[in-house]
Amino acid sequence: MAKRFPPKTALALIAASLLAAPALLPVAQAADAPAAQASKIPELKYERFTLPNGLTVVVHEDHKAPVVAVSVWYHVGSSYEPKGKTGFAHLFEHLMFQGSENHKDEYFKPFELAGATDQNGTTWLDRTNYFETVPTTALDMALWMESDRMGHLLGAIGQKELDEQRGVVQNEKRQGENQPYGRVSELIQAEAFPANHPYHHDTIGSMADLNAASLADVKQWFKDYYGAANTVVVLAGDITPAQAKQKMLKYFGDIGSGPAVPRPQVWITPRDKSTRGTMTDNVAQTRIYREWNVPSRNDQELNQLQLAAAVLGGGKTSRLYQRLVYQDKLADDVSVDIEQHVLASLFELQVDVKKGADPARVEAAVADEWAKFLKDGPTADELERVKTGIRASFVRGLERVNTQAMILAEGQLYQQDPSAYQKDFATLMAATPASVRASANQWIAKGDYTVTVTPGKVEETDFATYGGRPALPGKPEPELAAKGDFHTTPSPVDRSKGVPDVTEFPGLTFPTLQHGKLANGIEVTLAERHEVPAVQVQMLFDAGYAADQGRKLGTSSFTMAMLDEGTKALDSIEIAKREQRLGAVIGSGCSLDFCNTSLNALNDKLEPSLTLFADIVRNPAFRTDDVNRLRGQWLARIAQEKSQPIGIALRTLPPLLYGQGHAYAIPFTGSGTAESITALDVNDMRRFMGDFIRPDNVQILVAGDTTLDKIIPQLDKVFGDWKPGAGKLPAKNVAQVAAPESSRVYLIDRPGAQQSLILAGSLAPSTKVDNNLAIETMNGAFGGTFTSRLNMNLREDKHWAYGAYSFMPDALGQRPFLMYAPVQTDKTAPSAEQILAEARGVIGKHPLTAKEIAKIKEGDVRSLPGEYQTTSSVMGALGDIAQYDRPDNWIQTEKARIQALKDPQVQAAADEVIHPDHLTWVIVGDLKKIEAPVRALNLGKVQVLDADGKPVK
């Protein structure tokens, strides 16, 4: 999906790029609602009305927090683009953020000042959407802004704006294609659908078509598709239908309905025969993709296929994972999922082939399991476990009003029914082994397209122009949407006065923390939230990657990952099956300074879920077969990190910043090195468990639908008799590090890269320091928000990057201050020069202005009511309070602390943190194109490293 990201920091983007994984969702993507009754989910009650101009409005009331989600969906996507105009829908989405006739400035600015959260815009094949969650008192501002760009945009778009966003979009395309396997989706789409199909091309479009886009073209796109009658607006949250009707008519009623839109019609185009292709790319291992064309997302048949996908490749207990990863040991990972669209959907298999394994053997094993499934279908137990997982997932998402709005918008836009998700869910729950088998035999028994991606030279082809599958006869003609008897109504809004001021803001509601102890002294902290019948438990251990010091790197993360791979009584498959049957989610992992285990359980299954959770934490088996299997997957993960630009940089930079022997001088991915993981043995893991995963080194955090009187006995039952070992807790040595005498530059070659990844860092004080708030505020203004200096320079002004940010991962010791920018290759040296100029300027001739500081402070204060809508966000706050020794009322007092912050304190933080003449630069790109220009900058001594951080020359 082509997306526009305005993140608070770049860290979320980087984490997503390293950790992204497919999710199991029902067709309407109505993720998350409770399973109080086995086959029911909560109803999102709504009221729907249509304005006289044809704009459809759906309103859902949820008054738990003083915020409203505004979700605006235009019924147009890349499938509406004519030949030679690929990428237009997405390019126009970007232009919608450039300001409007009555707000000639960056679209995000009023929202940042109002404390908006969950703000973004995305384009896909069938739709373009824009969304944000705002404090209730800022709703008029949000509706004014959305209506101004819907009704008053064309006068604000000129050649300058078009050229700027064309450059940004082209860098978004480069950034995506610069990732391992980043070009595959374009190839699959071109081969899946015939040349005359609306889905033949990818949403991002071709470079040639983007270059050819004219001002007249984009203005016509707006006139054709951005009318009121082609739009659905959903308001979900702290609002009533009566308020919604008044406000929507006030702000949107005078906008024209627009012309009747020709709608592409369903055209699945399944193949009769199998076809194949190959691709080489800068990847670490061979990956096999296989795709079948299947019905529309609006067809209930797709729900049957969603269940088939889950049984075949939906995790550890799936047929293919069992066969390829566990039994035959031919793959490191396998997944099956469905990419759902209106005209047709794509049923997709993906297999990461284990290093040294024969891809032909992998395909033979897949074919064998596929044939068994087509012959016999799923078992009743397999289906029941998948259904339970789907039901349980509902409970974990509906807390967020933005999710509610998207569910209702999808139903209305695609099926003219906001409650379509209920029908999809009913179909899923009613499915039988026979019905799933029948659907599988109809749609995934023949006609697949397979592409095998192997390590090699990056192909220079723009696959957006790839010929692919030839045109076919029988394409259905588009059908005009119903015109309707629409008319505008006069608006009382005087837009010449500009954006409505937001002068009042709601207060924050955050649960009072409660404390208890187990029989063995383990401290428990509880935050009650009773909106959904679920409870989250987190066990927080003082360990982390830093605990690898003096051990084999990766010990902490690898050991924690082994916990759910088997206990003394249960193997890994039985653990996974029990999780599915309980609807529980159990996880474990580490950050820089801490390790954790977590449980997310439904209330009615909490006690058996806690029993399973405790068994995993207290009784890991570390069986040799499981260790070897995870080791192989782990080594593949390390190899994948070393093929990703950001993975390379995050592995290489920390050892350079902290110096050999420091606890933080490790890959910040936490995965260790190939050598250390190869040498890791069971004794190492048991020693780590004895040293750190113990009852005298843990805090238990609980958030959700329980009380202290209930949860303490339940936890005591499974953890109260846990005794520590005889040894003392090891001390972690997080020493202070001096800045280098001068800047240093390290170049890492990635031949054929379309972009260079620039990561420049220095060391900042610990997250625990007294002036941490001033440091965070400074970072927000300098590089931590969309309208910060770095991003406005490299993205909006120069359009050399899709995004440029600064960020600071939390740490108990000195934490890295990092400036991050993936930039087009020919602008590598100029971009580094601009980053350095911004760093020098903010502590020199261009200090932060009062306006810049006020924007961050106001946005941070005003976003507080929207930050804690979910149990997960409350748990995150509990974790921060526990890790950094903060008082219980830390969140409740945050507003006062921010407001008390003075501008000189923020500028002093910049002077303390930003050291432009003592930076360590890591630049990953095509060495033959970037080395000479970077050396000419004289940033510092230049050295070329390999992907392991070892000198090359």
Side-chain angles (χ1 to χ4, degrees), residues 264-306:
Q265 297 301 297
V266 170
W267 194 27
I268 303 172
T269 64
R271 293 171 292 262
D272 290 325
K273 297 180 180 179
S274 297
T275 56
R276 305 185 66 88
T278 60
M279 175 188 285
T280 58
D281 196 3
N282 193 344
V283 297
Q285 66 188 126
T286 297
R287 179 177 288 175
I288 299 169
Y289 295 85
R290 185 165 290 170
E291 181 275 335
W292 291 258
N293 291 15
V294 295
S296 162
R297 64 179 300 138
N298 297 336
D299 191 326
Q300 293 299 318
E301 189 85 2
L302 201 63
N303 291 296
Q304 306 285 342
L305 292 172
Q306 187 72 41

Side-chain angles (χ1 to χ4, degrees), residues 536-602:
Q536 294 187 26
V537 179
Q538 182 177 138
M539 303 185 73
L540 191 63
F541 300 91
D542 186 352
Y545 309 153
D548 287 349
Q549 189 178 39
R551 302 169 194 263
K552 294 159 186 170
L553 292 186
T555 297
S556 56
S557 291
F558 191 95
T559 303
M560 297 304 288
M562 278 297 303
L563 296 188
D564 68 352
E565 293 294 339
T567 70
K568 294 172 183 175
L570 306 173
D571 64 23
S572 60
I573 301 306
E574 184 57 32
I575 289 174
K577 287 181 178 179
R578 291 192 183 191
E579 282 187 63
Q580 288 180 311
R581 293 185 183 114
L582 293 167
V585 178
I586 295 175
S588 57
C590 295
S591 60
L592 193 56
D593 295 298
F594 294 88
C595 293
N596 73 84
T597 57
S598 62
L599 167 69
N600 192 325
L602 301 175

Side-chain angles (χ1 to χ4, degrees), residues 301 305 308 370 373-374 435-445:
E301 189 85 2
L305 292 172
W370 217 264
F373 185 83
L374 293 173
S435 67
V436 173
R437 176 181 172 276
S439 293
N441 275 279
Q442 181 177 354
W443 291 104
I444 59 171

Side-chain angles (χ1 to χ4, degrees), residues 38 91 128 168 175 186 267 276 284 357 390 402 444 479 507 525 637 669 725 727 739 769 812 831 861 910 912 924 929:
L91 175 61
T128 308
V168 171
Q175 185 170 322
E186 288 179 311
W267 194 27
R276 305 185 66 88
I390 292 172
N402 184 50
I444 59 171
E479 294 183 7
T525 302
R637 168 186 162 186
T669 59
V769 293
L812 293 176
S831 296
V861 166
E912 179 183 10
V924 183
K929 295 180 180 178

